């Protein structure tokens, strides 16, 4: 079992861990006190020094993102906490909200202070009703304790936080789709430039950070950026929440350093494959990542670079485990259908291509496939999202990364489990 | 969450203070659109054209813009549903853990397919995409509440308890 | 200014110009659907991808802007940006996008009104594949009315959202919206809020495919059968630039023609469908003299002789009615004929409409009041009392050609005058008061200049030929005047413009050549 002492989830099994009193009893809001005595630039520099990379999926360095906020703007600046957790296989932010909401709140206040924001939002997915109610109580506690509102903790810094519920749209987890949604519109991602740091919510400078990213902030200030960097690989350090689900004995959220072997997560932390079955395939970073074969999964470490090296990605670290009993064609269709349902419909390749894939897969499952369809799926996925290895500059075919998010998993299913697809085809001798 | 008879010709929020409170939180009116739609749906059960009229006036934008938004989001309903909306997550982790069996169970027991409502208006069955609770698959959301790691027996009991 | 190299050619462009704008301005085609110069950029059709040197992936040219690069970072020591529209990867992407767009498109070009002017058809031909690889069922939806004059064929729609943005950004009426999402997305309208604003017709024009159709033109003809004539809308004093599509002297439709000084890209439906007014009116094509039993037809020679006789007999008691519906040249010749003794009929007005986008519909329904006042400077307001005072016995009336009822004051006045000549193309209430009617041209038969309410002179070109024995409106008073004065007549409308320029300095430099397609501001008067 792991020797790593959890940072973000250290107290989640303790009674009343969601309350302000509890959080304060374990050193909560000390980092905020420290931050309020620093200049915003120093706060940004500290986060840059920690090399904290975003935990929402893209892995962009948080401090760098903050530094894009223009200094000379006369418009207000906004922070949005992206709690629209909806990547299949991912359920870590919900845990953080339920168990350590004040840790998240402290992170939000620190981030808001750093970027000069006086009004911040928590964009929480609409289905998280219970969590919304909890956060409302948490906000009330924070206002009562002068952690929010005017002159926070005796400083001259003011901050209000508003909880904003989504209404059922995966794409609103994409930051510009989220901003549109917050503005009371359909969540169609925006073309960039301009980037949100320059023109985001209401055309004002805006930073969107994920819940887990924000939860890391208090610890960086309590224990220093050097401490943070010492955990896991240099290129993307820190503690990390891994969600393991699917065909395992003990699905759950596990905190380990960045770079933990995937094998350890599946076999140690999650108790191995259910019913003693064999491992077949794994989504390492949510359903948008390319799936790994059992062999790949047994040999890869869970960090940004290691996964890119085998043409997948860390993404949201939503690990979905599939065992030998899983029909990979059906699993592929399940995922393709998810993306068909969630495609916003704005860009041509994604709107038309995603449904094309679903229709083809259904035809194949019904016995109407031909070998040519395999090649077609490769081509269609390439045309929606480009090649997984970025080799030919053929990625980025859609406004937002949704195109890649459809293309990569679907292509990887077919590529890595081609025989299963062929076995659905009539009059075709499958060479074993 | 009930709606009997013909749709009302007009809609007004039960508590105008709530509306004002929502509006006061945002720097502009249209940002209040989703919260107002949620509030209206919690009162009416769905987003009727009367709701759209009222909200478009409050946030000061054309009804078509409100409808544009409403039609985009799966949680906003433009038609009335049953008292208990059974939303079975069908995405991969839930599917690998028996979600299909739950759907079939409702169909067998209540005679409704996904998208349908029982004649007594008790249940509406829906297949939904990932509810973000994959670690406790299979998960079913009934109205606002999550029911996690459901066995068929537990699900059966749950349905029984929903009157 | 930055220098951008597109394919093999260098262009100097304003900083912040998009690659697409730079290319289009220089006649380099980059296929595109969602981009429209009047609308906000959304970058969603993905058709305008180009390769930009130094960028890791293809870029949408509509949202890639040429900036000022520091001199040490210029490409080849010279360029701020280097773009390829012909790169192999670009060509492949164009094929891919067209394949996606055509998956669910019905390919009903044989019966589609857009055929021949369809960006999907044209780009598919130029950039697409010849065959389809799609074996699945197509998405099929029935047509719907979006408003009383716009139908949508959903199957042809490529969801570029131009029409939705138009109603939000230009008409400000916001009726259109995208309903649902993803594959199920469709352009929609609320039943109780149909697309019935005065700019609605424009959505059919900006639709790059045959999805949005004007019921006025639907299934009427094939576009390649029609001739197109650039002209000016004559339905209000703004003077939107238009193309008139016609066949065998019949007008089938009007579409707006881009002019950044006059309502830019669009026109209103009053103007768009206004040409139908002339179809219903009782047309005059031969001169007619009032006799006891009513009007009887006569020849031009007799009509002119009779008019000149009456003119001679009237001595100084002659006057004219100029018309803001007629060209500067017709009004100028009228003014000359009646020695500048001119009045005009009461104006025809409606509510002025100003859209937030700057689009304007004037309250003055006449296209040339500004020009009429310029070339007939002595127009008197209270014409009726001037008639009394000056003992007017001969009146030459240039008819507005609008079917309207004259008030009692005007009717009484016309009855009192011994001899009334009405030059008109239609048997209007005014024509009925005439002693002699001289047939002129209908609005789209006329040639000359008109001056809009901002003082912009524009070239009104004839779209259809003059009917019957009708004559150009400048020519008729000219013939009478030259015969009356015993001088040689002017031979064409250009020579009238020349004469007009001598009398009115503001018009001295105006020639058709100089006016071109876009017109010219009057000397220092127009707001550019």
């Amino acid at each position: 079992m792991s020797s790593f002492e959890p940072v973000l989830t250290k107290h989640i099994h303790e009674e009343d861990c969601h309350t302000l009193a509890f959080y304060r009893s374990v050193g909560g809001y000390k980092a905020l006190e420290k931050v309020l005595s620093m200049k915003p630039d120093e706060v940004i520099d500290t986060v840059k020094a920690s090399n904290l990379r975003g935990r929402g999926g893209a892995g962009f360095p948080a401090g760098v993102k903050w530094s894009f906020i223009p200094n000379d703007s006369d418009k207000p600046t906004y922070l949005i906490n992206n709690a629209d957790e909806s990547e299949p296989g991912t359920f870590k932010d919900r845990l953080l909200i339920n168990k350590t909401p004040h840790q998240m709140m402290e992170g939000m206040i620190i981030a808001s202070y750093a970027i000069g924001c006086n009004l911040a939002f928590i964009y929480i997915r609409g289905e998280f009703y219970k969590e919304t109610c909890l956060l409302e109580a948490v906000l009330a506690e924070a206002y009562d304790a002068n952690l929010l509102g005017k002159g926070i903790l005796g400083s001259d810094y003011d901050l209000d936080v508003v909880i904003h519920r989504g209404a059922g749209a995966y794409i609103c987890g994409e930051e510009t789709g989220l901003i549109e949604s917050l503005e009371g519109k359909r969540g169609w991602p925006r073309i960039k430039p301009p980037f949100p740091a320059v023109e985001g919510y209401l055309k004002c400078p805006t930073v969107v950070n994920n819940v887990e990213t924000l939860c890391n902030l208090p610890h960086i200030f309590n224990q220093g950026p050097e401490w943070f960097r010492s955990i896991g690989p240099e290129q993307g350090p820190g503690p990390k929440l891994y969600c393991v689900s699917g065909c395992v004995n003990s699905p759950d959220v596990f905190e380990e350093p960045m770079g933990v072997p995937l094998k350890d997560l599946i076999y140690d932390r999650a108790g191995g494959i259910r019913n003693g079955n064999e491992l077949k395939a794994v989504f390492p970073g949510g359903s948008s990542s390319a799936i790994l074969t059992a062999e790949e999964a047994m040999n890869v470490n869970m960090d940004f670079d290691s996964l890119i090296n085998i043409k997948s990605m860390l993404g949201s670290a939503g690990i979905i485990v599939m065992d030998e009993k899983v029909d990979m064609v059906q699993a592929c269709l399940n995922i393709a259908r998810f993306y068909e349902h969630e495609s916003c419909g704005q860009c041509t390749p994604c709107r038309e291509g995603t449904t094309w894939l679903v229709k083809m897969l259904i035809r194949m499952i019904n016995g109407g496939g031909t070998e040519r369809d395999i090649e077609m799926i490769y081509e269609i996925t390439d045309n929606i999202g480009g090649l997984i290895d970025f080799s030919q500059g053929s990625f980025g075919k859609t406004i937002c990364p949704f195109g890649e998010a459809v293309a990569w998993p679907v292509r990887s299913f077919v590529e890595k489990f081609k025989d299963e697809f062929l076995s659905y085809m009539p009059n075709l001798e499958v060479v074993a | 969450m009930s709606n009997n008879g013909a749709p009302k010709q007009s809609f007004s929020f039960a508590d105008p203070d709530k509306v004002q409170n929502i509006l006061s939180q945002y720097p502009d009116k249209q940002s209040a659109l989703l919260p107002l739609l949620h509030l209206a749906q919690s009162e009416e059960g769905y987003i009727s054209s009367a709701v759209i009229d009222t909200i478009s006036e409050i946030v000061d934008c054309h009804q078509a813009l409100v409808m544009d938004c409403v039609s985009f989001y799966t949680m906003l309903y433009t038609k009335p549903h049953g008292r208990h909306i059974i939303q079975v997550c069908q995405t991969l982790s839930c599917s690998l853990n028996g979600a299909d069996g739950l759907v079939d169970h409702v169909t067998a027991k209540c005679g409704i397919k996904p998208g349908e409502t029982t004649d007594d208006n008790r249940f509406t069955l829906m297949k939904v995409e990932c509810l973000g609770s994959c670690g406790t698959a299979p998960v079913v959301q009934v109205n606002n509440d999550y029911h996690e790691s459901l066995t068929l027996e537990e699900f059966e009991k749950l349905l029984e308890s929903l009157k | 200014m930055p220098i951008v190299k597109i394919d093999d050619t260098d262009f100097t462009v304003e900083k912040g110009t998009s690659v697409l704008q730079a290319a289009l301005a220089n006649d380099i085609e980059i296929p595109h659907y969602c981009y429209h110069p009047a609308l906000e950029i959304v970058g969603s059709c993905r058709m305008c991808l180009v390769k930009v040197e130094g960028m890791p992936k293809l870029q949408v040219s509509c949202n890639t802007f040429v900036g000022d690069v520091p001199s040490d970072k210029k490409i080849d020591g010279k360029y701020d940006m280097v773009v390829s529209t012909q790169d192999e990867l670009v060509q492949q992407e164009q094929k891919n996008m067209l394949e996606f767009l055509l998956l669910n498109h019905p390919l009903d070009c044989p019966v589609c009104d857009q055929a021949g002017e369809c960006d999907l058809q044209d780009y598919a031909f130029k950039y697409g594949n010849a065959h389809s690889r799609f074996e699945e069922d197509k998405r099929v939806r029935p047509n719907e009315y979006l408003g009383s004059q716009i139908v949508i064929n959903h199957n042809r729609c490529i969801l570029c959202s131009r029409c939705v943005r138009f109603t939000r950004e230009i008409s400000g009426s916001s009726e259109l919206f995208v309903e649902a999402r993803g594959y199920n997305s469709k352009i929609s309208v609320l039943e109780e809020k149909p697309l019935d604003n005065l700019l609605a017709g424009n959505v059919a024009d900006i639709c790059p495919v045959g999805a949005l159709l004007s019921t006025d033109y639907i299934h009427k003809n094939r576009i390649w059968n029609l001739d197109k004539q650039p002209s000016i809308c004559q339905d209000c004093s703004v003077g939107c630039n238009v193309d008139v599509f016609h066949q065998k002297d019949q007008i089938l439709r009007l579409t707006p023609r881009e002019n950044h000084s006059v309502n830019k890209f669009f026109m209103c439906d009053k103007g768009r469908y206004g040409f139908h007014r002339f179809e219903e009116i009782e047309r005059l094509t031969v001169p007619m003299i009032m006799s006891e039993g009513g009007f009887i037809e006569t020849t031009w020679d007799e009509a002119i002789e009779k008019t000149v006789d009456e003119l001679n007999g009237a001595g100084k008691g002659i006057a004219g009615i100029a018309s803001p519906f007629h060209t500067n040249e017709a009004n100028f010749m009228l003014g000359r004929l009646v020695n500048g003794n001119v009045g005009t009929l009461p104006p025809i007005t409606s509510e002025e409409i100003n859209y937030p986008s700057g689009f304007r519909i004037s309250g003055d329904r006449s296209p040339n009041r500004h020009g009429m006042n310029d070339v007939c400077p002595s127009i008197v307001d209270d014409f009726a009392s001037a008639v009394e005072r000056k003992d007017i016995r001969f009146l030459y009336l240039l008819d507005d050609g609008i079917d309207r009822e004259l008030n009692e004051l005007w009717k009484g006045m016309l009855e009192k005058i011994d001899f009334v000549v009405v030059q008109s193309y239609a048997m209007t209430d005014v024509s009925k008061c005439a002693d002699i009617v001289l047939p002129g041209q209908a609005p789209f038969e006329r040639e000359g200049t008109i001056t809009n309410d901002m003082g912009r002179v524009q070239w009104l070109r004839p779209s259809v030929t003059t009917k019957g024995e009708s004559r150009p409106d400048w020519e008729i008073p000219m013939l009478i005047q030259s015969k009356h004065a015993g001088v040689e007549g002017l031979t064409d409308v250009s020579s009238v413009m020349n004469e007009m320029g001598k009398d009115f300095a503001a018009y001295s430099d105006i020639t058709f050549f100089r006016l071109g397609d876009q017109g010219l501001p009057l000397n220092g008067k127009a707001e550019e």
Side-chain angles (χ1 to χ4, degrees):
Chain A
M1 274 297 187
S2 172
S3 59
F4 177 72
E5 192 188 353
V7 178
L8 307 175
T9 58
K10 187 174 177 181
H11 303 291
I12 58 167
H13 298 298
E14 292 174 55
E15 205 176 322
D16 290 335
C17 58
H18 63 280
T19 61
L20 178 58
F22 178 89
Y23 186 60
R24 279 214 150 131
S25 76
V26 295
Y29 289 108
K30 289 276 181 238
L32 177 62
E33 285 174 26
K34 196 190 259 179
V35 163
L36 290 174
S37 70
M38 297 165 72
K39 287 187 180 130
D41 280 351
E42 294 169 352
V43 179
I44 295 177
D45 288 343
T46 306
V47 175
K48 273 187 183 170
S50 75
N51 200 15
L52 167 64
R53 289 172 65 175
R55 304 303 200 224
F60 196 83
V64 178
K65 199 178 208 179
W66 295 357
S67 66
F68 292 151
I69 295 287
N71 288 323
D72 52 354
S73 172
D74 54 358
K75 294 175 181 170
T77 301
Y78 296 105
L79 176 87
I80 307 172
N81 174 358
N82 186 347
D84 190 46
E85 184 166 64
S86 30
E87 173 77 17
T90 316
F91 42 97
K92 61 190 176 65
D93 295 341
R94 180 163 167 246
L95 176 87
L96 291 170
I97 292 165
N98 274 321
K99 299 295 182 181
T100 67
H102 279 286
Q103 177 178 252
M104 178 185 87
M105 200 58 71
E106 187 177 12
M108 272 189 83
I109 305 167
I110 292 171
S112 300
Y113 177 77
I115 62 167
C117 152
N118 302 111
L119 177 59
F121 297 92
I122 303 171
Y123 187 103
I124 185 165
R125 70 175 290 179
E127 290 87 345
F128 288 173
Y129 179 76
K130 194 183 89 189
E131 289 75 12
T132 305
C133 298
L134 174 73
L135 284 178
E136 276 165 6
V138 167
L139 275 193
E141 273 185 317
Y143 272 104
D144 279 351
N146 189 220
L147 295 159
L148 289 175
K150 301 271 177 220
I152 292 172
L153 297 180
S155 70
D156 58 1
Y157 178 59
D158 308 334
L159 177 66
D160 286 308
V161 171
V162 172
I163 303 166
H164 188 93
R165 280 178 78 198
Y170 169 76
I171 198 61
C172 294
E174 193 279 338
E175 62 178 5
T176 58
L178 184 153
I179 289 168
E180 286 282 299
S181 178
L182 180 60
E183 287 183 3
K185 303 171 188 162
R186 58 175 37 231
W188 271 8
R190 293 178 185 169
I191 184 102
K192 298 176 222 177
F195 288 87
V198 181
E199 277 187 26
Y201 176 58
L202 303 177
K203 298 203 164 184
C204 298
T206 301
V207 164
V208 182
N209 282 147
N210 167 260
V211 172
E212 185 187 350
T213 312
L214 293 166
C215 285
N216 274 289
L217 294 172
H219 305 285
I220 288 171
F221 288 90
N222 280 330
Q223 306 191 59
E226 298 78 17
W227 160 82
F228 190 85
R229 267 206 329 270
S230 72
I231 304 169
E234 201 182 335
Q235 297 306 321
K240 180 75 194 90
L241 301 190
Y242 301 94
C243 319
V244 187
S245 68
C247 308
V248 290
N249 285 312
S250 314
D252 209 340
V253 176
F254 305 106
E255 184 173 354
E256 289 288 345
M258 276 286 194
V260 67
L262 176 53
K263 179 179 157 218
D264 293 357
L265 288 170
I266 297 171
Y267 283 95
D268 294 344
R269 304 295 312 262
I273 311 299
R274 66 184 179 193
N275 306 327
N277 288 345
E278 290 290 316
L279 177 64
K280 188 177 200 176
V282 182
F283 271 118
S287 65
S288 304
S289 59
I291 55 163
L292 307 179
T293 61
E295 195 192 340
E296 287 171 325
M298 294 302 278
N299 292 297
V300 75
N301 291 343
M302 292 293 289
D303 59 71
F304 293 109
D305 290 351
S306 301
L307 281 156
I308 284 174
N309 286 341
I310 58 166
K311 299 182 184 178
S312 188
M313 65 173 182
L314 179 65
S316 59
I319 298 160
I320 307 175
V321 178
M322 287 162 270
D323 69 12
E324 58 184 304
K325 305 280 189 202
V326 177
D327 180 326
M328 298 311 270
V329 186
Q330 294 284 3
C332 181
L333 174 62
N334 182 290
I335 291 304
R337 270 195 166 137
F338 170 81
Y339 287 104
E340 181 196 31
H341 186 258
E342 299 299 339
S343 169
C344 82
Q346 192 180 194
C347 300
T348 304
C350 176
R351 179 185 66 242
E352 303 295 335
T354 309
T355 302
W356 192 4
L357 288 173
V358 169
K359 286 181 175 176
M360 280 184 75
L361 288 167
I362 292 174
R363 176 162 54 78
M364 286 166 92
I365 285 171
N366 291 334
T370 64
E371 232 181 322
R372 180 170 159 265
D373 291 327
I374 301 284
E375 282 306 312
M376 286 272 286
I377 288 181
Y378 293 160
E379 285 179 35
I380 296 167
T381 52
D382 287 354
N383 294 349
I384 300 171
L387 299 177
I388 294 168
D389 63 1
F390 299 98
S391 60
Q392 291 179 30
S394 63
F395 62 107
K397 301 188 183 198
T398 46
I399 287 174
C400 81
F402 193 103
E404 283 86 341
V406 187
W408 294 353
V410 171
R411 186 182 169 121
S412 65
F413 266 107
V414 184
E415 227 170 41
K416 295 179 182 179
F417 297 92
K418 192 171 162 186
D419 284 353
E420 290 198 36
F421 286 81
L422 291 175
S423 73
Y424 270 94
M425 293 170 191
N427 312 321
L428 204 72
E429 295 227 346
V430 182
V431 183
Chain B
M1 298 266 285
S2 73
N3 183 280
N4 301 315
K8 279 190 267 175
Q9 294 302 304
S10 68
F11 167 79
S12 47
F13 283 99
D15 182 355
D17 288 348
K18 269 191 189 169
V19 175
Q20 282 315 310
N21 186 40
I22 287 170
L23 286 168
S24 70
Q25 293 188 311
Y26 295 92
D28 79 322
K29 283 182 178 176
Q30 201 179 331
S31 295
L33 186 54
L34 277 187
L36 290 174
L37 288 166
H38 277 305
L39 182 62
Q41 185 160 291
S42 74
E43 293 178 13
E44 284 286 280
Y46 75 109
I47 307 297
S48 62
S49 62
V51 166
I52 286 177
D53 287 347
T54 300
I55 291 183
S56 95
E57 211 161 287
I58 293 173
V59 301
D60 197 14
C61 72
H62 196 282
Q63 287 96 324
L65 282 159
V66 179
M67 193 57 204
D68 181 312
C69 187
V70 168
S71 70
F72 185 80
Y73 296 98
T74 51
M75 287 177 69
L76 299 174
Y77 311 133
T78 49
K79 290 188 181 72
H81 287 307
R83 291 194 298 283
H84 306 289
I85 304 173
I86 316 290
Q87 301 162 77
V88 183
C89 175
Q90 60 168 348
T91 315
L92 194 54
S93 293
C94 286
S95 170
L96 295 175
N97 284 283
D100 293 348
L102 302 183
V103 173
D104 292 345
H105 183 75
V106 179
T107 303
K109 190 176 145 69
C110 310
I112 47 170
K113 292 197 207 76
E116 294 177 351
T117 301
T118 53
D119 290 340
D120 60 1
N121 215 33
R122 184 175 167 202
F123 295 123
T124 296
L125 176 62
M126 288 182 186
K127 278 198 203 177
V128 297
E129 293 296 347
C130 187
L131 287 171
S133 190
C134 322
T136 49
V139 62
V140 174
Q141 184 175 10
V142 181
N143 298 350
N144 287 325
D145 303 322
Y146 274 40
H147 301 274
E148 305 173 43
S149 306
L150 280 177
T151 62
L152 210 52
E153 294 70 42
E154 286 165 340
F155 187 50
E156 169 70 39
K157 268 188 210 156
L158 172 66
L159 292 179
E160 285 294 323
S161 71
L162 301 169
K163 296 302 174 191
Chain C
M1 290 213 296
I3 302 178
V4 55
K5 182 174 162 186
I6 304 179
D7 300 329
D8 297 322
T9 320
D10 302 356
F11 303 105
T12 303
V13 298
E14 293 275 349
K15 187 182 166 189
T17 307
S18 73
V19 172
L20 183 57
Q21 286 169 326
L24 295 177
N26 292 290
D27 288 329
I28 296 173
E29 182 176 86
I30 298 177
H32 60 277
Y33 293 112
C34 65
Y35 171 80
H36 187 285
L39 304 174
E40 246 181 67
I41 293 167
V42 291
S44 64
C45 75
R46 315 308 287 176
M47 195 63 219
C48 72
L49 288 165
V50 293
K51 190 174 181 188
V52 178
E53 208 169 303
M55 295 206 185
K57 53 183 182 181
L58 299 183
Q59 301 291 316
V60 281
S61 59
C62 63
N63 199 51
T64 303
F65 303 96
V66 184
D68 250 329
V69 173
S71 51
D72 60 319
K73 293 206 171 134
K74 293 210 194 283
I75 301 167
D76 296 340
K78 180 177 174 189
Y79 301 113
D80 295 85
M81 190 178 276
V82 173
V83 176
S84 168
T85 71
Q86 299 296 318
D87 186 88
E88 205 182 317
L89 210 55
V90 174
Q91 292 187 3
Q92 188 54 49
E93 272 322 313
Q94 290 168 341
K95 277 193 171 61
N96 297 343
M97 288 313 151
L98 285 164
E99 177 173 50
F100 284 131
L101 288 171
L102 290 170
L103 291 183
N104 288 292
H105 196 83
L107 302 182
D108 59 350
C109 307
V111 293
C112 176
D113 281 311
Q114 193 84 359
E117 51 179 2
C118 173
D119 289 346
L120 191 56
Q121 197 180 44
D122 293 347
Y123 294 157
F125 179 76
K126 274 173 109 164
Y127 307 103
N129 282 321
H131 64 281
S132 171
R133 302 187 293 175
F134 188 65
E135 292 177 15
E136 325 305 326
D137 292 335
K138 289 193 185 223
R139 175 179 48 207
V140 179
R141 295 189 181 121
N143 292 1
E144 286 178 290
Y145 274 88
L146 294 179
S148 56
Q149 284 179 304
I150 299 290
V151 169
I152 184 162
N153 180 317
H154 288 295
N155 300 335
R156 296 179 188 152
C157 177
I158 59 166
L159 282 163
C160 68
S161 80
R162 278 188 189 180
C163 54
V164 175
R165 282 174 283 149
F166 178 87
T167 64
R168 291 180 188 176
E169 297 165 25
I170 306 296
S171 68
S173 48
S174 299
E175 302 96 335
L176 294 182
F177 65 99
V178 179
E179 187 179 325
R181 72 185 188 206
Y183 188 72
N184 297 317
S185 308
K186 64 170 193 169
I187 304 299
S188 199
V189 73
L190 291 172
E191 213 179 301
E192 60 280 15
K193 304 270 171 189
L195 180 68
D196 275 332
N197 69 74
L198 275 176
L199 302 187
N202 291 293
V203 300
D205 300 331
I206 61 172
C207 179
V209 299
L212 293 175
L213 303 161
S214 164
T215 53
D216 191 57
Y217 177 67
I218 200 165
H219 295 162
K220 283 248 176 90
N221 211 309
R222 308 303 282 165
I223 193 67
W224 51 84
N225 292 332
L226 306 187
D227 292 316
K228 181 169 93 169
Q229 175 64 56
S231 190
I232 309 296
C233 175
Q234 297 163 67
D235 260 68
C236 85
S237 63
V238 172
C240 290
N241 291 200
V242 296
D243 282 319
V244 180
F245 290 80
H246 55 93
Q247 184 189 33
K248 293 178 185 160
D249 279 340
Q250 192 199 349
I251 296 173
L252 284 130
R253 70 167 189 185
L254 259 57
T255 58
R257 180 166 58 83
E258 186 176 338
N259 186 332
H260 286 264
S261 303
V262 192
N263 271 347
K264 298 180 178 166
F265 300 92
F266 307 113
M267 71 185 298
C268 77
D269 285 0
K270 288 191 188 186
R272 180 183 300 271
Y273 304 122
F275 68 90
H276 289 303
R277 275 194 285 119
F278 314 126
E279 295 164 352
E280 290 151 13
I281 212 152
E282 189 190 342
R283 183 64 199 264
L284 297 172
T285 54
V286 286
M288 291 197 288
I289 292 180
M290 181 58 92
S291 68
E292 278 172 22
F295 284 115
I296 49 165
E297 294 185 2
T298 182
T299 64
W300 271 108
D301 286 346
E302 272 182 38
I304 288 174
E305 202 164 314
K306 169 80 175 158
T307 305
V308 172
D309 283 352
E310 292 292 337
L311 188 58
N312 286 333
K316 288 195 169 175
I318 59 172
I321 299 290
S323 167
F325 287 83
H326 277 270
T327 62
N328 292 325
E329 291 71 21
N331 280 301
F332 171 72
M333 290 314 305
L334 169 87
R336 207 172 240 204
L337 174 67
V338 297
N339 305 322
N341 200 6
V342 185
T344 189
L345 292 172
I348 294 174
T349 57
S350 63
E351 191 195 353
E352 163 147 354
I353 308 174
N354 286 289
Y355 292 85
S357 56
F359 191 94
R360 189 166 62 90
I361 302 173
S362 166
D364 181 353
R365 305 307 308 165
S366 67
N368 193 34
R369 185 169 305 281
H370 194 299
M372 175 190 76
N373 287 330
D374 286 343
V375 300
C376 299
S378 56
I379 285 179
V380 278
D381 286 342
D382 187 10
F383 189 73
S385 56
V387 167
E388 287 283 332
R389 209 168 53 244
K390 290 185 176 173
D391 185 25
I392 297 301
R393 292 154 58 198
F394 175 98
L395 183 73
Y396 194 103
L397 194 151
L398 200 48
D399 185 20
D400 290 342
I402 302 290
D403 213 5
R404 64 164 167 198
E405 256 179 63
L406 276 184
N407 63 28
E408 289 308 312
L409 181 72
W410 276 87
K411 271 188 185 159
M413 187 198 79
L414 291 177
E415 268 167 31
K416 260 188 231 165
I417 295 171
D418 296 348
F419 196 76
V420 175
V421 183
V422 173
Q423 178 180 325
S424 185
Y425 70 95
M427 189 43 81
T428 61
D429 262 16
V430 175
S431 304
K432 285 171 190 159
C433 300
D435 294 295
I436 191 163
V437 181
L438 304 175
Q441 292 167 305
F444 288 99
E445 296 166 7
R446 293 170 189 160
E447 178 164 41
T449 61
I450 55 177
T451 309
N452 80 357
D453 53 15
M454 305 300 276
R456 190 174 194 84
V457 188
Q458 308 198 88
W459 183 1
L460 182 67
R461 277 181 272 193
S463 311
V464 290
T465 53
T466 303
K467 293 251 182 341
E469 294 177 30
S470 301
R471 286 188 150 165
D473 289 290
W474 61 270
E475 191 184 60
I476 305 167
M478 185 278 295
L479 286 170
I480 294 162
Q481 195 258 337
S482 59
K483 185 152 191 174
H484 172 62
V487 296
E488 201 168 321
L490 300 169
T491 53
D492 56 26
V493 70
S494 294
S495 49
V496 180
M497 287 165 73
N498 195 28
E499 287 291 303
M500 194 166 76
K502 287 182 198 161
D503 286 8
F504 302 102
Y507 288 82
S508 60
D509 289 333
I510 304 287
T511 63
F512 286 145
F513 180 76
R514 286 194 65 227
L515 289 176
D517 279 348
Q518 300 282 302
L520 283 174
L522 282 174
N523 299 341
K525 274 174 145 184
E527 288 175 23
E528 275 296 270

